[in-house]
Amino acid sequence: MNPIELVRFAMGAITAHPMRSVLTSLGVVIGVAAVIMMTSIGVGAQQRVEQALSSLGTNMLVVRSGAARGAGGGFVRGAGGSGNTLTAKDAEAIRELDGVRAVSPSVNGNAQLVYNGANWSSRVEGVTPDYLIARDLEIADGQMFDEAAADSGKKVAVLGQTVVTELFGEGASPVGQRIRVGPIPFTVIGVLSPKGQSGFQDQDDIVVVPLDAARSRIIGRGVSGDQVNQIYVKAEDEDALYQLEQDTTALLRERHRIQVGADDDFNVQNLTSIQEAAQSSTQTFTILLAAVAGVSLVVGGVGIMNIMLVSVTERTREIGLRMAIGARRSDVLTQFALESVALSLLGGLIGLLIGVTGGLLMSHFGDWPAVIPAWAAPLAIGFSTFVGVVFGAYPAWRAAQLDPIEALRRE
């Protein structure tokens, strides 16, 4: 039989029962739409995690104090930063290691900010000028303080965008203005470019001041001498990062005279390793979501097989008549297979449209990045076609195996 005739017969059988055809395809519609939307959510989550971690800085190590010395002379393990065992001299020693691009020791705390009657509580971080390089930060307005300003004890500050908005108003330029950080007046010399949220922390809600000024005039409590809370270490490139992590650990163990087998009194965090672990977790999460949604595709396929079997029973006399006037078993097999694939493919196309629309709506109303992967459309079409072929094979085979004489006897 002519292939065009087979297609025409198959489409005629589908359009003859439009409501049944729509309901048969509904399972595939729901399945494909669910897979597209769940994949969009998972990939969007992965993108958001990557953005949050990359905003902290790339190719960077963060060295934090990891223990405090107990009264008995031994080390008592504590959370990162619980005891200030790091010093500015440690940072200078790290700077001499191979593969280091920038190093910035840091002390941090919170302080009340006041400007012309406006009050705002913010995070204050005392750093060196290399802080910008280490954290991949840029100046949006004004400038960063230099080594000379830091060494001379100038009371200057660089503000994050959130602080500028809260103290001066949206779009204002605070450069040259004087604010009070705690009890001490500081002159604003620059504004940082926005970095956005990282987890629950607003990275733009920050005041950056010279290390010595923060340690002696603002934070003070908890640090003494040249102690620091943490050290930011920027590697030349990603290839040098893992070796630098090992070298930094070995150097600090030597400087802190830590015996072999004893616990470190510091904690070296490799942000690239954290990012890789987060990516792996979100990828697993995406696959799990897609797999759960894919179950509905199987249910849709079972629905198609069930309806096609009913159709074979209903059209037994039609099949017998067609075979009696010359239709081959292969023609009958092909027609029923085409009907199954057409129903599944139609459901896949509608499901793809609903899934993409749903993903965009979630992005618009849910403040969630809409990421529709490039492979979504081919996957939806390919998998729905596969479902039609697999679950339509048995009904088509049943139809092709009917004996035309027995079929014509059926009522």
Side-chain angles (χ1 to χ4, degrees):
M1 185 177 287
N2 191 320
I4 297 178
E5 287 295 312
L6 285 174
V7 173
R8 186 172 67 82
F9 276 121
M11 293 302 103
I14 291 174
T15 56
H17 304 280
M19 182 57 69
R20 185 168 73 179
S21 298
V22 170
L23 293 177
T24 302
S25 300
L26 188 59
V28 178
V29 171
I30 295 172
V32 170
V35 169
I36 297 298
M37 292 179 67
M38 293 300 99
T39 302
S40 175
I41 291 173
V43 176
Q46 182 176 347
Q47 186 181 81
R48 176 163 287 189
V49 168
E50 289 175 359
Q51 290 174 347
L53 291 175
S54 63
S55 67
L56 296 175
T58 57
N59 302 331
M60 186 176 73
L61 303 176
V62 181
V63 186
R64 291 189 173 94
S65 298
R69 185 176 293 276
F75 284 103
V76 179
R77 296 295 298 170
S82 60
N84 294 313
T85 58
L86 299 173
T87 66
K89 290 181 179 179
D90 289 331
E92 292 303 316
I94 294 172
R95 194 187 303 272
E96 302 301 319
L97 293 174
D98 292 336
V100 174
R101 182 182 175 191
V103 175
S104 177
S106 165
V107 295
N108 53 72
N110 294 308
Q112 193 72 20
L113 312 177
V114 179
Y115 171 76
N116 198 25
N119 286 267
W120 183 252
S121 180
S122 182
R123 180 167 55 96
V124 179
E125 192 151 11
V127 298
T128 62
D130 276 352
Y131 179 75
L132 291 185
I133 301 174
R135 291 291 310 276
D136 292 329
L137 296 170
E138 296 180 355
I139 297 293
D141 187 20
Q143 62 183 8
M144 180 66 171
F145 52 82
D146 56 17
E147 292 286 356
D151 293 341
S152 63
K154 283 188 177 181
K155 295 186 288 295
V156 292
V158 178
L159 309 182
Q161 292 284 350
T162 299
V163 176
V164 173
T165 300
E166 296 295 335
L167 292 183
F168 299 91
E170 189 75 34
S173 176
V175 175
Q177 302 296 322
R178 290 173 68 83
I179 65 172
R180 199 167 72 243
V181 183
I184 310 298
F186 278 74
T187 300
V188 179
I189 62 170
V191 177
L192 295 171
S193 295
K195 294 285 281 185
Q197 290 283 135
S198 175
F200 295 103
Q201 185 181 62
D202 181 1
Q203 294 190 85
D204 298 321
D205 190 4
I206 187 173
V207 177
V208 178
V209 300
L211 177 64
D212 289 339
R215 189 161 44 195
S216 61
R217 299 174 181 271
I218 303 174
I219 298 171
R221 186 173 58 184
V223 293
S224 59
D226 68 344
Q227 288 181 346
V228 295
N229 299 130
Q230 57 195 12
I231 302 171
Y232 299 105
V233 184
K234 177 81 168 181
E236 289 286 356
D237 52 52
E238 187 174 349
D239 293 336
L241 186 62
Y242 293 95
Q243 183 61 47
L244 181 59
E245 179 182 5
Q246 297 177 11
D247 292 344
T248 299
T249 300
L251 174 67
L252 292 179
R253 285 183 64 88
E254 180 182 351
R255 286 184 55 82
H256 296 187
R257 296 182 174 84
I258 299 174
Q259 301 296 320
V260 175
D263 291 335
D264 295 336
D265 63 350
F266 58 88
N267 188 333
V268 180
Q269 291 183 327
N270 184 333
L271 295 190
T272 299
S273 296
I274 296 174
Q275 186 171 7
E276 289 173 352
Q279 287 175 346
S280 177
S281 298
T282 52
Q283 284 173 358
T284 303
F285 173 68
T286 302
I287 294 171
L288 178 62
L289 286 177
V292 171
V295 172
S296 57
L297 268 175
V298 177
V299 174
V302 172
I304 288 177
M305 183 169 66
N306 182 44
I307 294 300
M308 292 303 297
L309 286 171
V310 171
S311 180
V312 170
T313 303
E314 288 180 347
R315 295 157 62 189
T316 298
R317 287 181 61 83
E318 174 196 331
I319 296 168
L321 181 60
R322 290 187 56 212
M323 294 177 73
I325 61 176
R328 295 169 297 180
R329 294 185 185 276
S330 61
D331 294 332
V332 176
L333 177 69
T334 303
Q335 179 187 337
F336 276 83
L338 282 174
E339 289 181 28
S340 176
V341 170
L343 288 170
S344 185
L345 186 57
L346 176 64
L349 291 172
I350 297 173
L352 174 62
L353 179 62
I354 294 174
V356 171
T357 303
L360 294 176
L361 288 175
M362 282 191 299
S363 173
H364 180 72
F365 294 107
D367 189 27
W368 192 265
V371 183
I372 309 297
W375 45 262
L379 178 67
I381 303 304
F383 200 71
S384 58
T385 302
F386 175 76
V387 167
V389 170
V390 170
F391 289 93
Y394 178 66
W397 178 81
R398 280 280 304 271
Q401 295 304 309
L402 288 175
D403 187 319
I405 297 176
E406 292 297 327
L408 287 171
R409 288 178 179 173
R410 294 272 184 97
E411 291 296 331

